[in-house]
Every structure is written in structure tokens, then in C-alpha cells.
Amino acid sequence: MDTAPPSVPVPVTTPRPQSHRKVATAAALASAVEWYDYFVFGIAAALVLGDLYFPAGSSSAGVLAAFAAFAVGFLARPLGGIVAGHLGDKRGRKPMLVLALTLMGVATTAIGLLPTYETIGIAAPILLVLLRVAQGVAVGAQWGGAMLLATEYAPEGKRGVYGSFVQLGVPIGVVSANTMFLVVGATTSDSAFAAWGWRVPFLVGLFVLGLAWYIHRHVEETPEFRAAERELAEKEKGEQSSPLRTILRDHLGTVFLAGGSFAVNTATFYILITGVLDYTTRELDMKRSAVLTVSLCVSLTQLILIPAAAALSDRVGRIRVYALGAAGIALWAVPMFLLIDTGSLLWLAVGTFVAGCFLSIMYGPQAALFAELFTPEMRYTGASLGYQIAAVLGGGLAPFLMVLLLEATGTSMAVSAYIIALSVIALVSIKILAGRASSRADG
């Protein structure tokens, strides 16, 4: 069962197959490089940023400060989603995606060049946080643009698969970020890594600017936006409504339900790639390179699982596949940390791999599901807001809360309880969305 509301029919020119492939590739690359830039901060926060930018009396206090800076990027993401969503629904998907890529490339490169606390004092953490805010605004703006380029160009019956190309940007970004840190760590001493080696993955952000230029020059606007734009142009100026105003007035409940349905996915994901990296290396004395390698391998499996789940959703419906993933995360939350707590690399791999499977089952159909919750003239705004609310409620706070919960309780079961609570919220939200879709279909 899908959750798409009935859309107003508008004439849409069918793109050529070459256009489908070119746009899907460009959207996937945009997503991959954007998420790469975003993830290198999380890995660096778990490994070095606490000592370099937030010197404190204890290692856990430094890590908490670094994770707080990491979370600030998530708090900024709704701003990017709101601004880019509003302009993207009025001016086009492509310009906002190009702007997001440019902002991300500049901010990430600047972090790689930023002096440390020892060099410029309190200005260092302040500038780091401001640049992290810029990253958050950029990724908040990017997802909706890349997602809509892919799904609005999708051939009939393949919106889930095409939307999953953008979702693949996440595991590709994780693999690329982990690989860069592994290579730099393997080719530098510990002292060199702390002094300058960690900066190298950030400087790769310069390549994002080249991709932004390519999309600006060679990718066309989506057919669905052009059709919606023509329809809006035919109305009297005084009758036109702001996409943001329409969402806030008539569809805010759907936005919050979308965010509630997805927060568990973002929270669990960031716990796995950032929180677990800190926990296993600092508390369980596991080797940094080994944990990064496990994270990399798990992300590689998602390159297969995400499009497979999306393709299944094209056949049996988004909600069924999406709900299966959410239920799986809830059931696996306790066994996952029992396995991680053994301190065994093998059981760490098993625990995170199974969790990654359930995350992929949710993440595959999510782009198409969120796109189908809103009509084209408000789709960028609505889908972006739903996604970024989930990012704030789940992903941004998750590593920070994980450290707090571990410090307060002394047991990883507290983190499992946090994941289960978010899973319950997700399943309730999904049930309400499904009920709304059923009511519309019956009506």
C-alpha cells in the first residue's frame, strides 16, 4: 500500500531513456559526495576533534563536545530544507542542488584548513561549529534536490528504484570517508595523523565544486517541476500560495509523521558509524582501523540491499517494506549491543551487519515514499522537512545521547532502549500514514 495522495494531473513530457540514466547518475553522485563531506566530520569527531578543538579535563568530555558540534549540523539541516524546499518548489530542483553542493564543498575544505585551539584559541571551536552549521544547511538543502531529480525523472513503475540511487549516496559516502581515514591512518604515524593527516579527507571536498559545475551545465530541470511550474504560471498572482505556507497550513501533520517514521533509522545509523566507533575504541580498546574496516564492509553490503528493497517496494508497496525495516531495528536493538559488548571483531561485524540490513530495508523505499506524500508543487518543501526533522530528532543527537547514556548508566542496554523507543514512534507513525492512505483510496 502506498501513501501517495491523489495528484492534480498535469501534462508531463516523457524524458528519453538517456536522460533517465544521466540524471539518475548525477543525482547519485551529488548525494555520494555530499554525504562523504558530511560523514568525515563524524569520523573525525570520534577520533581527533575533541582533543584538537575542545580540550577538556577528560577524554569523554572532549568527545561529548565534539559530538555536540557534530549535532549542531543536524540542527541546521531543517533550515537548509526549508529555504531550499521553498525555492526549489518555486524556482526548480536543479539550482538548489547546485547551491547545496557548492556550500558543502567550501565548508568542508575550510574545516580541513582550520587552525586548532592551540593555534588560535577559542576562535577555533567557534569557527568549527559555524562551518559545521554550513555543512548542515548544505545537506539539508541537498537531499530534496537530488531525490526529486531522480524520482521525478523515473520511468513508470520505477520510482522506488530511481529514488534508491540517491539513497546509495549514504553508504557510498560512508565507504569513501572510512576508506580515506583508513588510508591516511595506514600511511602516517599516530602523531602525524593527529597533526595533519586527519585534514586530508576534508580537503577532498574541493571535488564537490566540480560536480556542482557539471550539474549546472549538463542536467535539465525535471519534467514534473516544469509541468507544475506551467500550471502555477497560469494562475493569477494573488492566488498563488507559498509552498512553505501551504505545507505549514495543510500538511504539517504529514511532515511530522514522516519525520517520526524515519528518526529511528537516522539515529541507529549514526550510532553505528560514529557512536560505536567511539565506544569500541575508547571503552572496549578495539583497534581504530579494525572498527573502521567493519563499518566499511557493512556499508558495502548496503549498496546491494538498498536498491533491492526499493525494487521490492515498487512491487508490493512502500509501507510494507518500510515497516518491516522499522520492526527489525526494534527487535535487533538488544542483541546488537550484546554482541558488540563482547569486544570481538567478529561479533561486532555480525551485530552491525544485521542492523545494516534492517536500515537498508527502510532506507531503500524512503525517497519514493516521501516524494509520494506530497504533490509536485510542494514536494521539495514537504519531503525535505520530513527528512530533516527525522535527522534532528534521531541522527544529530544520537551519538551525543549514546555517550551520555553510557556515562549515566554504565550499560549499553540504555542505548538499546533508546533505539527501541524510536522504533515504536516509527511504527505508530507508519500505521497512521497507512491509515490515511487507505482512507484516501476508499474515498
PDB file of all heavy atoms in Angstrom, residues 337-366:
ATOM      1  N   PHE A 337      23.793  -4.877  20.688  1.00  0.00           N
ATOM      2  CA  PHE A 337      24.757  -4.393  21.672  1.00  0.00           C
ATOM      3  C   PHE A 337      25.313  -5.510  22.558  1.00  0.00           C
ATOM      4  O   PHE A 337      26.438  -5.404  23.061  1.00  0.00           O
ATOM      5  CB  PHE A 337      24.150  -3.271  22.515  1.00  0.00           C
ATOM      6  CG  PHE A 337      24.385  -1.921  21.910  1.00  0.00           C
ATOM      7  CD1 PHE A 337      23.382  -1.287  21.209  1.00  0.00           C
ATOM      8  CD2 PHE A 337      25.626  -1.308  21.998  1.00  0.00           C
ATOM      9  CE1 PHE A 337      23.602  -0.042  20.622  1.00  0.00           C
ATOM     10  CE2 PHE A 337      25.859  -0.064  21.420  1.00  0.00           C
ATOM     11  CZ  PHE A 337      24.847   0.569  20.732  1.00  0.00           C
ATOM     12  N   LEU A 338      24.548  -6.577  22.743  1.00  0.00           N
ATOM     13  CA  LEU A 338      25.120  -7.732  23.447  1.00  0.00           C
ATOM     14  C   LEU A 338      26.304  -8.295  22.673  1.00  0.00           C
ATOM     15  O   LEU A 338      27.320  -8.702  23.265  1.00  0.00           O
ATOM     16  CB  LEU A 338      24.051  -8.806  23.641  1.00  0.00           C
ATOM     17  CG  LEU A 338      22.931  -8.476  24.640  1.00  0.00           C
ATOM     18  CD1 LEU A 338      21.882  -9.583  24.637  1.00  0.00           C
ATOM     19  CD2 LEU A 338      23.497  -8.271  26.044  1.00  0.00           C
ATOM     20  N   LEU A 339      26.190  -8.294  21.337  1.00  0.00           N
ATOM     21  CA  LEU A 339      27.293  -8.783  20.509  1.00  0.00           C
ATOM     22  C   LEU A 339      28.458  -7.801  20.508  1.00  0.00           C
ATOM     23  O   LEU A 339      29.628  -8.200  20.615  1.00  0.00           O
ATOM     24  CB  LEU A 339      26.805  -9.010  19.074  1.00  0.00           C
ATOM     25  CG  LEU A 339      25.799 -10.149  18.882  1.00  0.00           C
ATOM     26  CD1 LEU A 339      25.291 -10.178  17.447  1.00  0.00           C
ATOM     27  CD2 LEU A 339      26.426 -11.490  19.239  1.00  0.00           C
ATOM     28  N   ILE A 340      28.182  -6.512  20.406  1.00  0.00           N
ATOM     29  CA  ILE A 340      29.238  -5.502  20.396  1.00  0.00           C
ATOM     30  C   ILE A 340      30.026  -5.536  21.706  1.00  0.00           C
ATOM     31  O   ILE A 340      31.259  -5.416  21.722  1.00  0.00           O
ATOM     32  CB  ILE A 340      28.647  -4.100  20.148  1.00  0.00           C
ATOM     33  CG1 ILE A 340      28.118  -3.992  18.723  1.00  0.00           C
ATOM     34  CG2 ILE A 340      29.695  -3.008  20.405  1.00  0.00           C
ATOM     35  CD1 ILE A 340      27.342  -2.720  18.432  1.00  0.00           C
ATOM     36  N   ASP A 341      29.325  -5.735  22.820  1.00  0.00           N
ATOM     37  CA  ASP A 341      29.954  -5.694  24.143  1.00  0.00           C
ATOM     38  C   ASP A 341      30.944  -6.836  24.376  1.00  0.00           C
ATOM     39  O   ASP A 341      31.728  -6.786  25.338  1.00  0.00           O
ATOM     40  CB  ASP A 341      28.883  -5.723  25.241  1.00  0.00           C
ATOM     41  CG  ASP A 341      28.195  -4.380  25.399  1.00  0.00           C
ATOM     42  OD1 ASP A 341      28.726  -3.372  24.909  1.00  0.00           O
ATOM     43  OD2 ASP A 341      27.103  -4.336  26.018  1.00  0.00           O
ATOM     44  N   THR A 342      30.915  -7.875  23.523  1.00  0.00           N
ATOM     45  CA  THR A 342      31.891  -8.948  23.674  1.00  0.00           C
ATOM     46  C   THR A 342      33.306  -8.466  23.371  1.00  0.00           C
ATOM     47  O   THR A 342      34.276  -9.104  23.800  1.00  0.00           O
ATOM     48  CB  THR A 342      31.553 -10.130  22.738  1.00  0.00           C
ATOM     49  OG1 THR A 342      31.663  -9.696  21.365  1.00  0.00           O
ATOM     50  CG2 THR A 342      30.152 -10.656  23.001  1.00  0.00           C
ATOM     51  N   GLY A 343      33.422  -7.352  22.651  1.00  0.00           N
ATOM     52  CA  GLY A 343      34.743  -6.872  22.265  1.00  0.00           C
ATOM     53  C   GLY A 343      35.366  -7.664  21.147  1.00  0.00           C
ATOM     54  O   GLY A 343      36.531  -7.438  20.783  1.00  0.00           O
ATOM     55  N   SER A 344      34.606  -8.588  20.576  1.00  0.00           N
ATOM     56  CA  SER A 344      35.089  -9.414  19.468  1.00  0.00           C
ATOM     57  C   SER A 344      34.798  -8.723  18.141  1.00  0.00           C
ATOM     58  O   SER A 344      33.678  -8.268  17.898  1.00  0.00           O
ATOM     59  CB  SER A 344      34.406 -10.783  19.500  1.00  0.00           C
ATOM     60  OG  SER A 344      34.522 -11.438  18.251  1.00  0.00           O
ATOM     61  N   LEU A 345      35.798  -8.682  17.271  1.00  0.00           N
ATOM     62  CA  LEU A 345      35.616  -8.062  15.953  1.00  0.00           C
ATOM     63  C   LEU A 345      34.580  -8.818  15.131  1.00  0.00           C
ATOM     64  O   LEU A 345      33.773  -8.204  14.414  1.00  0.00           O
ATOM     65  CB  LEU A 345      36.958  -8.028  15.210  1.00  0.00           C
ATOM     66  CG  LEU A 345      37.027  -7.129  13.974  1.00  0.00           C
ATOM     67  CD1 LEU A 345      36.808  -5.674  14.358  1.00  0.00           C
ATOM     68  CD2 LEU A 345      38.373  -7.317  13.283  1.00  0.00           C
ATOM     69  N   LEU A 346      34.566 -10.148  15.251  1.00  0.00           N
ATOM     70  CA  LEU A 346      33.600 -10.958  14.515  1.00  0.00           C
ATOM     71  C   LEU A 346      32.179 -10.629  14.943  1.00  0.00           C
ATOM     72  O   LEU A 346      31.295 -10.400  14.094  1.00  0.00           O
ATOM     73  CB  LEU A 346      33.890 -12.445  14.747  1.00  0.00           C
ATOM     74  CG  LEU A 346      32.840 -13.422  14.162  1.00  0.00           C
ATOM     75  CD1 LEU A 346      32.766 -13.289  12.648  1.00  0.00           C
ATOM     76  CD2 LEU A 346      33.181 -14.864  14.569  1.00  0.00           C
ATOM     77  N   TRP A 347      31.934 -10.589  16.255  1.00  0.00           N
ATOM     78  CA  TRP A 347      30.566 -10.323  16.713  1.00  0.00           C
ATOM     79  C   TRP A 347      30.172  -8.871  16.486  1.00  0.00           C
ATOM     80  O   TRP A 347      28.990  -8.566  16.274  1.00  0.00           O
ATOM     81  CB  TRP A 347      30.421 -10.703  18.180  1.00  0.00           C
ATOM     82  CG  TRP A 347      30.506 -12.184  18.412  1.00  0.00           C
ATOM     83  CD1 TRP A 347      31.385 -12.846  19.211  1.00  0.00           C
ATOM     84  CD2 TRP A 347      29.689 -13.194  17.798  1.00  0.00           C
ATOM     85  NE1 TRP A 347      31.178 -14.199  19.155  1.00  0.00           N
ATOM     86  CE2 TRP A 347      30.138 -14.445  18.290  1.00  0.00           C
ATOM     87  CE3 TRP A 347      28.635 -13.181  16.889  1.00  0.00           C
ATOM     88  CZ2 TRP A 347      29.559 -15.654  17.906  1.00  0.00           C
ATOM     89  CZ3 TRP A 347      28.051 -14.377  16.490  1.00  0.00           C
ATOM     90  CH2 TRP A 347      28.518 -15.591  17.003  1.00  0.00           C
ATOM     91  N   LEU A 348      31.135  -7.967  16.502  1.00  0.00           N
ATOM     92  CA  LEU A 348      30.852  -6.587  16.108  1.00  0.00           C
ATOM     93  C   LEU A 348      30.352  -6.557  14.664  1.00  0.00           C
ATOM     94  O   LEU A 348      29.363  -5.876  14.349  1.00  0.00           O
ATOM     95  CB  LEU A 348      32.111  -5.721  16.238  1.00  0.00           C
ATOM     96  CG  LEU A 348      32.036  -4.321  15.616  1.00  0.00           C
ATOM     97  CD1 LEU A 348      31.064  -3.443  16.385  1.00  0.00           C
ATOM     98  CD2 LEU A 348      33.428  -3.682  15.564  1.00  0.00           C
ATOM     99  N   ALA A 349      31.016  -7.311  13.791  1.00  0.00           N
ATOM    100  CA  ALA A 349      30.622  -7.357  12.386  1.00  0.00           C
ATOM    101  C   ALA A 349      29.223  -7.950  12.222  1.00  0.00           C
ATOM    102  O   ALA A 349      28.402  -7.433  11.451  1.00  0.00           O
ATOM    103  CB  ALA A 349      31.640  -8.165  11.582  1.00  0.00           C
ATOM    104  N   VAL A 350      28.937  -9.022  12.951  1.00  0.00           N
ATOM    105  CA  VAL A 350      27.618  -9.653  12.854  1.00  0.00           C
ATOM    106  C   VAL A 350      26.533  -8.685  13.350  1.00  0.00           C
ATOM    107  O   VAL A 350      25.496  -8.495  12.691  1.00  0.00           O
ATOM    108  CB  VAL A 350      27.576 -10.962  13.667  1.00  0.00           C
ATOM    109  CG1 VAL A 350      26.149 -11.512  13.727  1.00  0.00           C
ATOM    110  CG2 VAL A 350      28.511 -12.003  13.049  1.00  0.00           C
ATOM    111  N   GLY A 351      26.777  -8.087  14.514  1.00  0.00           N
ATOM    112  CA  GLY A 351      25.779  -7.191  15.092  1.00  0.00           C
ATOM    113  C   GLY A 351      25.465  -6.007  14.200  1.00  0.00           C
ATOM    114  O   GLY A 351      24.293  -5.660  13.988  1.00  0.00           O
ATOM    115  N   THR A 352      26.500  -5.370  13.661  1.00  0.00           N
ATOM    116  CA  THR A 352      26.277  -4.194  12.823  1.00  0.00           C
ATOM    117  C   THR A 352      25.781  -4.570  11.434  1.00  0.00           C
ATOM    118  O   THR A 352      25.036  -3.809  10.812  1.00  0.00           O
ATOM    119  CB  THR A 352      27.560  -3.355  12.721  1.00  0.00           C
ATOM    120  OG1 THR A 352      28.643  -4.177  12.257  1.00  0.00           O
ATOM    121  CG2 THR A 352      27.931  -2.766  14.075  1.00  0.00           C
ATOM    122  N   PHE A 353      26.154  -5.740  10.934  1.00  0.00           N
ATOM    123  CA  PHE A 353      25.672  -6.167   9.612  1.00  0.00           C
ATOM    124  C   PHE A 353      24.156  -6.386   9.622  1.00  0.00           C
ATOM    125  O   PHE A 353      23.449  -5.912   8.732  1.00  0.00           O
ATOM    126  CB  PHE A 353      26.367  -7.457   9.174  1.00  0.00           C
ATOM    127  CG  PHE A 353      25.732  -8.091   7.964  1.00  0.00           C
ATOM    128  CD1 PHE A 353      25.891  -7.537   6.706  1.00  0.00           C
ATOM    129  CD2 PHE A 353      24.954  -9.239   8.091  1.00  0.00           C
ATOM    130  CE1 PHE A 353      25.289  -8.103   5.587  1.00  0.00           C
ATOM    131  CE2 PHE A 353      24.357  -9.817   6.986  1.00  0.00           C
ATOM    132  CZ  PHE A 353      24.515  -9.247   5.734  1.00  0.00           C
ATOM    133  N   VAL A 354      23.656  -7.103  10.621  1.00  0.00           N
ATOM    134  CA  VAL A 354      22.211  -7.348  10.686  1.00  0.00           C
ATOM    135  C   VAL A 354      21.467  -6.026  10.845  1.00  0.00           C
ATOM    136  O   VAL A 354      20.434  -5.790  10.198  1.00  0.00           O
ATOM    137  CB  VAL A 354      21.871  -8.315  11.837  1.00  0.00           C
ATOM    138  CG1 VAL A 354      20.361  -8.472  11.972  1.00  0.00           C
ATOM    139  CG2 VAL A 354      22.521  -9.677  11.595  1.00  0.00           C
ATOM    140  N   ALA A 355      21.997  -5.148  11.709  1.00  0.00           N
ATOM    141  CA  ALA A 355      21.369  -3.832  11.855  1.00  0.00           C
ATOM    142  C   ALA A 355      21.379  -3.079  10.535  1.00  0.00           C
ATOM    143  O   ALA A 355      20.387  -2.439  10.156  1.00  0.00           O
ATOM    144  CB  ALA A 355      22.101  -3.023  12.924  1.00  0.00           C
ATOM    145  N   GLY A 356      22.487  -3.172   9.800  1.00  0.00           N
ATOM    146  CA  GLY A 356      22.580  -2.517   8.497  1.00  0.00           C
ATOM    147  C   GLY A 356      21.564  -3.047   7.505  1.00  0.00           C
ATOM    148  O   GLY A 356      21.054  -2.292   6.665  1.00  0.00           O
ATOM    149  N   CYS A 357      21.256  -4.331   7.599  1.00  0.00           N
ATOM    150  CA  CYS A 357      20.232  -4.911   6.710  1.00  0.00           C
ATOM    151  C   CYS A 357      18.872  -4.259   6.954  1.00  0.00           C
ATOM    152  O   CYS A 357      18.165  -3.880   6.006  1.00  0.00           O
ATOM    153  CB  CYS A 357      20.136  -6.424   6.928  1.00  0.00           C
ATOM    154  SG  CYS A 357      21.556  -7.352   6.333  1.00  0.00           S
ATOM    155  N   PHE A 358      18.492  -4.135   8.216  1.00  0.00           N
ATOM    156  CA  PHE A 358      17.195  -3.524   8.533  1.00  0.00           C
ATOM    157  C   PHE A 358      17.174  -2.039   8.169  1.00  0.00           C
ATOM    158  O   PHE A 358      16.149  -1.525   7.709  1.00  0.00           O
ATOM    159  CB  PHE A 358      16.863  -3.735  10.005  1.00  0.00           C
ATOM    160  CG  PHE A 358      16.556  -5.164  10.366  1.00  0.00           C
ATOM    161  CD1 PHE A 358      17.264  -5.816  11.357  1.00  0.00           C
ATOM    162  CD2 PHE A 358      15.559  -5.857   9.683  1.00  0.00           C
ATOM    163  CE1 PHE A 358      16.984  -7.139  11.679  1.00  0.00           C
ATOM    164  CE2 PHE A 358      15.271  -7.179  10.003  1.00  0.00           C
ATOM    165  CZ  PHE A 358      15.978  -7.823  10.999  1.00  0.00           C
ATOM    166  N   LEU A 359      18.300  -1.353   8.370  1.00  0.00           N
ATOM    167  CA  LEU A 359      18.378   0.049   7.948  1.00  0.00           C
ATOM    168  C   LEU A 359      18.187   0.168   6.444  1.00  0.00           C
ATOM    169  O   LEU A 359      17.490   1.074   5.958  1.00  0.00           O
ATOM    170  CB  LEU A 359      19.727   0.646   8.350  1.00  0.00           C
ATOM    171  CG  LEU A 359      19.993   0.828   9.844  1.00  0.00           C
ATOM    172  CD1 LEU A 359      21.396   1.388  10.060  1.00  0.00           C
ATOM    173  CD2 LEU A 359      18.968   1.753  10.481  1.00  0.00           C
ATOM    174  N   SER A 360      18.791  -0.735   5.689  1.00  0.00           N
ATOM    175  CA  SER A 360      18.674  -0.706   4.224  1.00  0.00           C
ATOM    176  C   SER A 360      17.245  -0.969   3.771  1.00  0.00           C
ATOM    177  O   SER A 360      16.763  -0.366   2.805  1.00  0.00           O
ATOM    178  CB  SER A 360      19.613  -1.745   3.600  1.00  0.00           C
ATOM    179  OG  SER A 360      20.952  -1.479   3.928  1.00  0.00           O
ATOM    180  N   ILE A 361      16.556  -1.883   4.454  1.00  0.00           N
ATOM    181  CA  ILE A 361      15.168  -2.198   4.105  1.00  0.00           C
ATOM    182  C   ILE A 361      14.287  -0.961   4.272  1.00  0.00           C
ATOM    183  O   ILE A 361      13.381  -0.709   3.479  1.00  0.00           O
ATOM    184  CB  ILE A 361      14.655  -3.363   4.969  1.00  0.00           C
ATOM    185  CG1 ILE A 361      15.361  -4.661   4.553  1.00  0.00           C
ATOM    186  CG2 ILE A 361      13.142  -3.528   4.837  1.00  0.00           C
ATOM    187  CD1 ILE A 361      15.102  -5.833   5.483  1.00  0.00           C
ATOM    188  N   MET A 362      14.569  -0.153   5.296  1.00  0.00           N
ATOM    189  CA  MET A 362      13.833   1.109   5.465  1.00  0.00           C
ATOM    190  C   MET A 362      14.289   2.158   4.460  1.00  0.00           C
ATOM    191  O   MET A 362      13.478   2.878   3.876  1.00  0.00           O
ATOM    192  CB  MET A 362      14.046   1.670   6.873  1.00  0.00           C
ATOM    193  CG  MET A 362      13.144   1.123   7.958  1.00  0.00           C
ATOM    194  SD  MET A 362      13.235   2.153   9.464  1.00  0.00           S
ATOM    195  CE  MET A 362      12.106   3.473   9.023  1.00  0.00           C
ATOM    196  N   TYR A 363      15.596   2.268   4.293  1.00  0.00           N
ATOM    197  CA  TYR A 363      16.147   3.392   3.534  1.00  0.00           C
ATOM    198  C   TYR A 363      15.887   3.282   2.035  1.00  0.00           C
ATOM    199  O   TYR A 363      15.739   4.304   1.352  1.00  0.00           O
ATOM    200  CB  TYR A 363      17.644   3.499   3.805  1.00  0.00           C
ATOM    201  CG  TYR A 363      18.209   4.868   3.526  1.00  0.00           C
ATOM    202  CD1 TYR A 363      17.685   5.991   4.154  1.00  0.00           C
ATOM    203  CD2 TYR A 363      19.273   5.049   2.654  1.00  0.00           C
ATOM    204  CE1 TYR A 363      18.188   7.251   3.911  1.00  0.00           C
ATOM    205  CE2 TYR A 363      19.792   6.304   2.404  1.00  0.00           C
ATOM    206  CZ  TYR A 363      19.248   7.407   3.034  1.00  0.00           C
ATOM    207  OH  TYR A 363      19.745   8.654   2.782  1.00  0.00           O
ATOM    208  N   GLY A 364      15.824   2.058   1.518  1.00  0.00           N
ATOM    209  CA  GLY A 364      15.614   1.871   0.089  1.00  0.00           C
ATOM    210  C   GLY A 364      14.376   2.570  -0.447  1.00  0.00           C
ATOM    211  O   GLY A 364      14.444   3.370  -1.383  1.00  0.00           O
ATOM    212  N   PRO A 365      13.187   2.301   0.119  1.00  0.00           N
ATOM    213  CA  PRO A 365      11.968   2.924  -0.398  1.00  0.00           C
ATOM    214  C   PRO A 365      11.681   4.315   0.148  1.00  0.00           C
ATOM    215  O   PRO A 365      10.710   4.959  -0.267  1.00  0.00           O
ATOM    216  CB  PRO A 365      10.867   1.956   0.061  1.00  0.00           C
ATOM    217  CG  PRO A 365      11.400   1.346   1.314  1.00  0.00           C
ATOM    218  CD  PRO A 365      12.895   1.246   1.111  1.00  0.00           C
ATOM    219  N   GLN A 366      12.510   4.820   1.067  1.00  0.00           N
ATOM    220  CA  GLN A 366      12.170   6.061   1.762  1.00  0.00           C
ATOM    221  C   GLN A 366      12.075   7.271   0.842  1.00  0.00           C
ATOM    222  O   GLN A 366      11.183   8.123   1.005  1.00  0.00           O
ATOM    223  CB  GLN A 366      13.183   6.320   2.871  1.00  0.00           C
ATOM    224  CG  GLN A 366      12.884   7.527   3.731  1.00  0.00           C
ATOM    225  CD  GLN A 366      13.792   8.696   3.423  1.00  0.00           C
ATOM    226  OE1 GLN A 366      14.838   8.532   2.808  1.00  0.00           O
ATOM    227  NE2 GLN A 366      13.392   9.881   3.844  1.00  0.00           N
TER     228      GLN A 366
END
